[in-house]
Amino acid sequence: MSRKNKSVLQVIGMYAFIGAIILAILYPLLWTIGLSLNPGTSLYASSMIPDNFSFVHYKWLFFDPASDYLLWYKNTLIVAVITSISAVVFVTLIAYAFSRYHFIGKKNGLYTFLILQMFPVLMSMVALYILLNMVGLLDTLTGLILIYIGGAIPMNVFLVKGYFDTIPKELDEAAKMDGAGHFRIFFTIMLPLAKPILAVVALFNFMTPFMDFILPSIILRSPEKFTLALGLFNFINEQFGNNFTRFAAGAVLIAVPIAAVFLFLQRYLISGLTSGATKG
Amino acid sequence: MLKNNLFFGLSMFCLIILLSACGPQRDNVEVEEGTVNDEIPEKPEELNVWAWDNVLEPLKMLAEKYTEETGIKVNVIVGDNANLTLDAPAGKGPDIYYETHDRMGERYVQGVVSELTLTDEQLSGYQESALEGFTYEGELLGIPSSLETIGLLYNKSLIPEAPETVEELNNYAEELTNPSNDEYGFLTITSDFYFMYPFLTSGNGYVFGEDEQGSYNTSDIGLTEDDVIQGANLVYSWHEDGFIPESINDDIMSSLFSNGQVGAITSGPWAVEGFRESLGDDLAIAPLPTYNGEHLESFLGVKGFAVSEYSENKYWATDLALFMTNAENSQTMFEDYNLIPARTDVTVDDELYEGFQEQIQFASPMPNIPEMAQVWDPMEDALVFISQGDDPKAVLEEAVDYIKAQISLMGGSN
Amino acid sequence: MVQHKINPKVVALLSVIPGFGQLYNRRFLKGISFFIIFIAFITFFYQFLNIGYWGLFTLGEIPKLDDSRVLLAQGIISLIITSIAVTFYILNLRDAHKDAVKIQKGIMPKSFRENFNDGWDKGFPYMLVGPGLFILIFVVVFPLLFMVFLAFTDYNLFNSPPKYLLNWVGFENFISLVAVPIWRSTFVSVFSWTIIWTLVATTLQIALALILAIFVHDSRIKFKKLIRTLLILPWAVPAFVTILIFAALFNNDFGAINNDILIPFFGEAIPWMTDPFWAKVAIIGIQIWVGFPFVFVIFTGILQSISKDMYEAADIDGATSWQKFRKITFPHVMFATAPILIMQYAGNFNNFNIIYLFNQGGPAVRGENAGGTDILISWVYNLTFEAQNYNMAAAISIIIGLVIAAFAFFQFRRTSSYKEEM
């Protein structure tokens, strides 16, 4: 077999493989969209390409007086935006310290927390409940945000620190010679250069509130304070009735904006995450 | 420096010991015992109710009515009763909450439900078995509101006359089943112990043995009796004969039945309105058929209101619960929301629900002890094995051993 | 200016009450502020610490009035506050001692302003880390401690606060885990599947990501951007939605995978939900679907960063694609991403969502107490929320945590990023 033929075969093989995977990715997603357009509530009676398209579930989510969907959407956006911004602030500050300064705990601190976070946390939900109740933050979005920020720090600091480490130290040393202070170096040299990884951290923390339903179910009590994931999950929870098609419609409306932001930031995602997660 | 550290470590330690010896100053500790006096306590400004989503609307309506009558504001919200053990002592709990009777034992050992002392006058009108369901260790823990049990729902265009016996039902299954067209004569959820209980316990079977006072004996489990094994064989035969597909579940069964593809199913009052809409006049409901000449005993589920142990207004909370379940309101709850009243003084005037009414006579309340929670999963597993063709006797014996072991692991002393 | 004799030992002794040592050093502003902080701390926290330590020791005395869980939490918070206080206390001593030594040696103490600048420089990293550390202590460390303490109590359904008080039971729960046969056998069987699950699912997820990254990176492949976009889609959809959708797709009799794909094309259905083997296959497949894009993105970035010279050199030497992969790509990629991959393994070990949402750990396996796909964490969930066996759940959680922590610790130590910190 000639070299060229072999190459053509290889390319065909690669396309076939990639194609198969893409098919496997799209199939359940399209199926979900199809499901959400079925008029009934039953999972079984629905089909991927419904006989009669209906936006009844979307209409319900937006316009039915019993639906809190828009409220949940608003709550989730609030939590997501605040968590995202605060996490970026906390994480970059800490990562800056880890990357550029010497202090007690620098050597093992980060890894210690990374490992501590690997302990299963389901049991500790009770503890968070009691803690938040003590400080009066139970059933508040503030409490939820604080816990999200705390939980996000170790992993994200790891990524941002990795990224900062790739920025040559000569840059800030030169600035120091010129008399720039700690914060000045941070804001004028580090941050602008670290844009890709900041985008990644912002994106990760923006997504968390959309995806997590366990923590809100422990902390949030009033339906008007629910986040989307919790509210949606309740659609298919037995005590709250069983409505899979409505769930699918709600899920599509979560996935679409996230996917859009995701794809929009794709360029940053690849460059930022890679330099952060590796030693460049 | 080391010396310093040691010194301070020591002094801190002493301080801790010192502090731990202190504790709170409590000269006269008042553990409030239900003070018995005849005076009616002052009305609170508001009462909080935790409801389930499916009864939120009706309860809100009743709450408004109560406010009109008494002036007490009532907030009804959807609450997850599993959170009570944290929420109630933290002061975030409700005054009364909507609950099924079979959770009463659990709520009682968690300490979140208050014992009720009601007069005979207050208790009159409630169905005996419903009150029994809410009684745990001799204490009445809740006020019943509605009843549920399963009956036989059938499609008159396929099965004109309600089958009287299981044999008749099987004949219909034989006649009507055609899996390639998704058509079935009779469907039920064979992996769900709740649905299978009538068939398994038709003769001498039972879940927990009871003593004379009606207390359950958790070491006496009657799920390996001969008649249970016979029932298990019946369940297996439905799969073996191809009448019922193996991975049947509620969603599938309901949608097939709605489409008119199934002759009969077993289901409860919660599903009736959906089917009435899709099947119209073809829908009919009968009590479960007889098996070996005996009526099948289904589980009775009672829903009602429990008063929180942490309510600061137990008197008015109880009053609200009684109001929500009184004859007039029970009538409304049935007429507007199709909840079968847990009262004897309310008439159910709907042909469809009369089928359930009839079956309720043969139903017995699900055990309400916490140990019951250990029964469902092993029995569900056992039923799956049985429908796959494993030997019912061996499977059931294993399941009972497992249930007993799980109960012993719960750490209860009783 | 400073003429009076200073004895560092006296200073240290005086500093037993914070601020006094500094006053003796004639650092009045510092001394006074230290003293005020000290007094404020004592008055503000005395009552809280008092109840906290009392609660930690006794777990309450009167049922219903004392909630053992709250007292335990307060006790742990008291421990945390105390350790923070002790840290500052020791700093105060050091500070006074150090200043005194300096003064004794005749080094002029710096002015307040100089001191401040000095402190700003030295303290700057602590200032950056401090607030984050504070949150971390309460969000990560405190719940963990709470769980550890619970493992030594008798918290189960029949002895649950607020109705009853908890008691310290020592290592009893850990002993039952080994001594009671039903605990032991379940633990062992669940543990072995957990290990298999973690290794297989994570490795396949990484392998798929690597293959795809290499393929898409290949210069002969067109539409790179579009392909990458499609490949990271699973990441952008909330995982709990995906898993629930898959659960519906995999239904034996009515799910689309059997009805629309397997039966029409292969003429046979697979019992995904009822056969333990196929359920495991399905669940691993879903995890790969959900988990590969993250790794794919990282690998893609790394492949872009490997210099082309290396491959060109290899081409000149006549290396095959396979040789290039083995000698250049694979080591490069693995070396660079080791910490992230370790976290992937750890994450799957604790991947509760997928097991729980797919089929609650089912299907049942005869003669075994946990479901066919139950991993340790989903078993713990059942113990906690279904059986309310909190004490055992806590004990098992600690064991899970220790296993995963030991694994991660040794793996991290081998990675390059960790060694660099040394």
Side-chain angles (χ1 to χ4, degrees), chain A residues 41-45 66 125-126 129-130 133 136 138-139 217-218 220-224 226 237-242, chain B residues 50-54 57 77-81 83 86-92 98-99 182 251-252 255-256 259 261:
Chain A
T41 62
S42 153
L43 186 63
Y44 164 68
M125 295 293 180
V126 176
Y129 178 101
I130 297 172
N133 193 32
L138 198 64
D139 197 20
S217 74
I218 303 284
L220 302 176
R221 285 294 184 269
S222 333
E224 72 269 14
F226 281 4
N237 188 336
E238 280 173 56
Q239 199 172 334
F240 295 83
N242 213 327
Chain B
W50 276 11
W52 294 10
D53 196 45
N54 55 358
E57 284 315 308
I77 61 160
V78 176
D80 184 351
N81 293 339
N83 293 330
L86 285 166
D87 285 6
K92 311 250 173 209
Y98 191 73
E99 185 60 288
D182 280 345
D251 186 49
I252 294 160
S255 57
L256 288 174
N259 290 351
Q261 289 161 285

Side-chain angles (χ1 to χ4, degrees), chain B residues 105-383:
Chain B
E106 183 184 338
R107 301 286 168 249
Y108 188 70
V109 295
Q110 287 173 333
V112 293
V113 56
S114 128
E115 297 108 342
L116 301 173
T117 328
L118 299 180
T119 62
D120 285 346
E121 189 196 341
Q122 284 172 314
L123 287 175
S124 70
Y126 291 102
Q127 205 148 67
E128 198 55 44
S129 55
L131 289 173
E132 190 192 312
F134 271 103
T135 305
Y136 178 75
E137 291 187 348
E139 304 280 357
L140 181 66
L141 300 178
I143 300 172
S145 158
S146 67
L147 300 177
E148 279 177 1
T149 196
I150 54 171
L152 191 73
L153 281 65
Y154 61 100
N155 185 332
K156 276 192 280 190
S157 66
L158 297 170
I159 300 183
E161 205 52 40
E164 295 278 328
T165 64
V166 170
E167 289 72 29
E168 267 180 61
L169 195 60
N170 280 344
N171 291 339
Y172 278 116
E174 181 86 62
E175 190 185 315
L176 298 171
T177 303
N178 180 6
S180 54
N181 279 354
D182 280 345
E183 286 169 5
Y184 297 95
F186 167 62
L187 287 182
T188 184
I189 303 164
T190 50
S191 63
D192 192 328
F193 182 53
Y194 177 78
F195 287 96
M196 288 304 104
Y197 173 79
F199 301 100
L200 292 178
T201 59
S202 65
N204 55 9
Y206 52 90
V207 180
F208 294 119
E210 286 176 72
D211 64 14
E212 287 100 49
Q213 283 89 45
S215 294
Y216 294 102
N217 178 359
T218 54
S219 54
D220 174 17
I221 298 177
L223 291 171
T224 48
E225 304 289 327
D226 294 340
D227 290 340
V228 179
I229 292 163
Q230 201 197 346
N233 281 320
L234 174 67
V235 174
Y236 171 60
S237 72
W238 289 331
H239 290 293
E240 198 192 25
D241 298 341
F243 296 163
I244 299 179
E246 224 171 76
S247 62
I248 186 78
N249 66 29
D250 195 41
D251 186 49
I252 294 160
M253 180 178 82
S254 303
S255 57
L256 288 174
F257 188 65
S258 307
N259 290 351
Q261 289 161 285
V262 184
I265 62 170
T266 59
S267 188
W270 56 84
V272 170
E273 293 313 306
F275 293 138
R276 200 199 304 254
E277 208 173 292
S278 51
L279 293 176
D281 289 342
D282 283 343
L283 178 67
I285 299 172
L288 295 176
T290 58
Y291 187 49
N292 296 336
E294 277 183 63
H295 281 287
L296 292 178
E297 175 190 315
S298 52
F299 272 139
L300 177 67
V302 190
K303 289 185 171 141
F305 298 94
V307 175
S308 167
E309 178 71 1
Y310 288 83
S311 164
E312 284 169 5
N313 306 291
K314 284 185 190 164
Y315 176 88
W316 289 103
T318 314
D319 188 60
L320 173 61
L322 286 168
F323 174 83
M324 285 186 159
T325 57
N326 69 21
E328 185 196 337
N329 289 329
S330 294
Q331 188 79 51
T332 324
M333 290 287 265
F334 174 70
E335 279 163 12
D336 296 357
Y337 300 96
N338 309 299
L339 296 162
I340 299 176
R343 301 184 68 100
T344 49
D345 52 4
V346 179
T347 45
V348 169
D349 187 23
D350 184 322
E351 223 177 36
L352 287 179
Y353 290 91
E354 277 163 17
F356 290 117
Q357 285 279 69
E358 222 172 298
Q359 177 64 31
I360 283 170
Q361 298 166 26
F362 310 116
S364 65
M366 271 180 272
N368 62 8
I369 51 176
E371 284 86 349
M372 186 64 192
Q374 303 302 337
V375 175
W376 299 109
D377 283 352
M379 281 312 288
E380 180 174 334
D381 295 348
L383 284 161

Side-chain angles (χ1 to χ4, degrees), chain C residues 62-96:
Chain C
I62 304 159
K64 205 182 158 210
L65 193 66
D66 296 333
D67 188 332
S68 299
R69 296 165 304 182
V70 176
L71 289 173
L72 180 59
Q74 195 168 342
I76 294 167
I77 294 172
S78 301
L79 279 179
I80 292 172
I81 294 175
T82 313
S83 10
I84 295 174
V86 168
T87 311
F88 279 100
Y89 199 75
I90 290 171
L91 288 178
N92 144 63
L93 284 177
R94 275 196 184 173
D95 176 76

Side-chain angles (χ1 to χ4, degrees), chain A:
Chain A
M1 198 186 291
S2 78
R3 204 182 165 91
K4 197 170 170 209
N5 276 342
K6 201 175 155 199
S7 168
V8 169
L9 271 182
Q10 273 181 353
V11 173
I12 291 175
M14 284 193 279
Y15 272 124
F17 186 78
I18 295 170
I21 298 290
I22 288 178
L23 215 62
I25 288 171
L26 291 182
Y27 180 69
L29 298 179
L30 293 176
W31 192 78
T32 311
I33 295 174
L35 194 63
S36 72
L37 296 171
N38 275 275
T41 62
S42 153
L43 186 63
Y44 164 68
S46 313
S47 52
M48 187 162 163
I49 302 152
D51 301 332
N52 39 349
F53 280 87
S54 150
F55 286 92
V56 56
H57 299 299
Y58 292 94
K59 263 190 213 141
W60 189 93
L61 291 174
F62 283 108
F63 301 115
D64 194 278
S67 161
D68 283 330
Y69 192 78
L70 288 177
L71 200 59
W72 296 340
Y73 222 112
K74 195 184 89 189
N75 290 340
T76 313
L77 278 177
I78 293 173
V79 175
V81 168
I82 299 179
T83 306
S84 176
I85 294 173
S86 327
V88 169
V89 172
F90 275 103
V91 164
T92 44
L93 288 177
I94 298 172
Y96 181 45
F98 270 101
S99 175
R100 289 302 196 265
Y101 291 90
H102 285 281
F103 57 93
I104 303 168
K106 174 181 163 133
K107 204 169 81 179
N108 291 317
L110 191 53
Y111 283 94
T112 306
F113 276 103
L114 279 174
I115 288 177
L116 283 184
Q117 278 201 314
M118 290 177 189
F119 277 75
V121 288
L122 279 170
M123 283 290 307
S124 56
M125 295 293 180
V126 176
L128 290 174
Y129 178 101
I130 297 172
L131 178 69
L132 289 180
N133 193 32
M134 270 181 191
V135 292
L137 289 176
L138 198 64
D139 197 20
T140 63
L141 297 181
T142 318
L144 189 64
I145 292 169
L146 281 175
I147 296 179
Y148 278 144
I149 296 173
I153 288 175
M155 173 72 181
N156 287 296
V157 167
F158 177 83
L159 293 175
V160 180
K161 176 198 173 287
Y163 199 95
F164 280 169
D165 285 350
T166 65
I167 300 175
K169 283 206 171 74
E170 291 75 26
L171 279 179
D172 35 315
E173 265 152 30
K176 212 183 244 168
M177 293 293 178
D178 296 342
H182 301 289
F183 274 121
R184 184 122 175 241
I185 297 173
F186 177 67
F187 282 114
T188 56
I189 296 178
M190 302 298 270
L191 282 193
L193 287 174
K195 255 188 223 150
I197 193 71
L198 298 189
V200 170
V201 170
L203 176 65
F204 279 8
N205 289 289
F206 186 82
M207 271 162 54
T208 315
F210 280 92
M211 303 212 170
D212 174 44
F213 65 94
I214 297 179
L215 192 63
S217 74
I218 303 284
I219 292 174
L220 302 176
R221 285 294 184 269
S222 333
E224 72 269 14
K225 288 181 185 143
F226 281 4
T227 59
L228 273 176
L230 176 60
L232 266 192
F233 191 65
N234 284 341
F235 280 161
I236 47 166
N237 188 336
E238 280 173 56
Q239 199 172 334
F240 295 83
N242 213 327
N243 202 330
F244 214 96
T245 37
R246 189 184 289 166
F247 168 82
V252 169
L253 289 180
I254 297 188
V256 166
I258 295 193
V261 177
F262 222 89
L263 302 178
F264 180 68
L265 290 177
Q266 195 191 151
R267 193 166 49 94
Y268 283 135
L269 201 65
I270 294 179
S271 66
L273 198 55
T274 306
S275 326
T278 64
K279 303 297 280 190

Side-chain angles (χ1 to χ4, degrees), chain A residues 213 244 247, chain C residues 237-250 273 283 286-287 289-290 351-359:
Chain A
F213 65 94
F244 214 96
F247 168 82
Chain C
V237 182
F240 80 97
V241 173
T242 320
I243 298 164
L244 288 166
I245 296 290
F246 269 116
L249 285 172
F250 273 108
M273 290 309 224
I283 217 159
I286 299 170
Q287 175 54 35
W289 194 97
V290 172
N351 199 332
F352 163 74
N353 273 359
I354 189 162
I355 307 285
Y356 176 71
L357 295 177
F358 184 64
N359 58 354

Side-chain angles (χ1 to χ4, degrees), chain B residues 5 8 12 19 22-24 26 29 85 106 108 110 247 252 309-310 381 385 390 398 402 405 409-410 412, chain C residues 50 54 62 64 66 69 82 86 89-90 93 156 158 162-163 182-183 251 253-254 364 366 369 388-389:
Chain B
N5 282 340
F8 287 110
M12 266 345 270
L19 284 166
C22 283
R26 294 192 286 212
V29 179
T85 142
E106 183 184 338
Y108 188 70
Q110 287 173 333
S247 62
I252 294 160
E309 178 71 1
Y310 288 83
D381 295 348
F385 298 136
D390 288 5
E398 271 175 29
Y402 181 58
L409 291 186
M410 290 175 81
Chain C
N50 179 8
W54 167 80
I62 304 159
K64 205 182 158 210
D66 296 333
R69 296 165 304 182
T82 313
V86 168
Y89 199 75
I90 290 171
L93 284 177
N156 63 35
F158 289 99
K163 189 165 190 169
I182 191 168
W183 281 121
N251 185 293
D253 291 315
F254 305 95
R366 252 187 94 177
N369 309 320
Q388 304 184 36
N389 238 317

Side-chain angles (χ1 to χ4, degrees), chain C residues 208-409:
Chain C
L208 178 67
L210 185 59
I211 294 171
L212 284 171
I214 291 173
F215 281 7
V216 180
H217 187 65
D218 194 290
S219 54
R220 293 164 295 177
I221 296 289
K222 304 269 180 324
F223 310 113
K224 281 192 167 56
K225 210 169 163 202
L226 175 72
I227 293 174
R228 282 194 188 117
T229 306
L230 289 171
L231 286 179
I232 61 172
L233 261 183
W235 191 6
V237 182
F240 80 97
V241 173
T242 320
I243 298 164
L244 288 166
I245 296 290
F246 269 116
L249 285 172
F250 273 108
N251 185 293
N252 288 358
D253 291 315
F254 305 95
I257 293 190
N258 272 347
N259 277 2
D260 297 350
I261 300 175
L262 290 180
I263 293 179
F265 293 102
F266 303 95
E268 206 171 337
I270 288 177
W272 298 107
M273 290 309 224
T274 49
D275 184 284
F277 174 76
W278 288 112
K280 285 175 180 175
V281 172
I283 217 159
I284 288 176
I286 299 170
Q287 175 54 35
I288 295 171
W289 194 97
V290 172
F292 90 87
F294 176 77
V295 191
F296 169 77
V297 166
I298 294 178
F299 283 169
T300 300
I302 293 174
L303 288 179
Q304 290 172 347
S305 73
I306 302 179
S307 93
K308 292 212 169 59
D309 304 350
M310 275 200 259
Y311 291 106
E312 276 160 18
D315 279 337
I316 292 167
D317 292 347
T320 63
S321 313
W322 174 243
Q323 280 170 326
K324 278 188 281 184
F325 170 75
R326 269 198 55 206
K327 299 283 182 211
I328 306 174
T329 318
F330 189 74
H332 200 102
V333 167
M334 288 299 141
F335 179 75
T337 55
I340 290 289
L341 299 186
I342 293 167
M343 284 182 230
Q344 291 285 309
Y345 279 99
N348 267 343
F349 191 87
N350 280 332
N351 199 332
F352 163 74
N353 273 359
I354 189 162
I355 307 285
Y356 176 71
L357 295 177
F358 184 64
N359 58 354
Q360 284 83 45
V365 182
R366 252 187 94 177
E368 281 187 29
N369 309 320
T373 55
D374 253 326
I375 59 172
L376 285 169
I377 186 79
S378 61
W379 187 43
V380 165
Y381 177 88
N382 281 330
L383 286 175
T384 314
F385 293 99
E386 310 284 315
Q388 304 184 36
N389 238 317
Y390 296 96
N391 51 351
M392 296 307 284
I396 295 166
S397 298
I398 291 174
I399 295 175
I400 302 177
L402 289 177
V403 169
I404 195 76
F407 161 80
F409 177 72

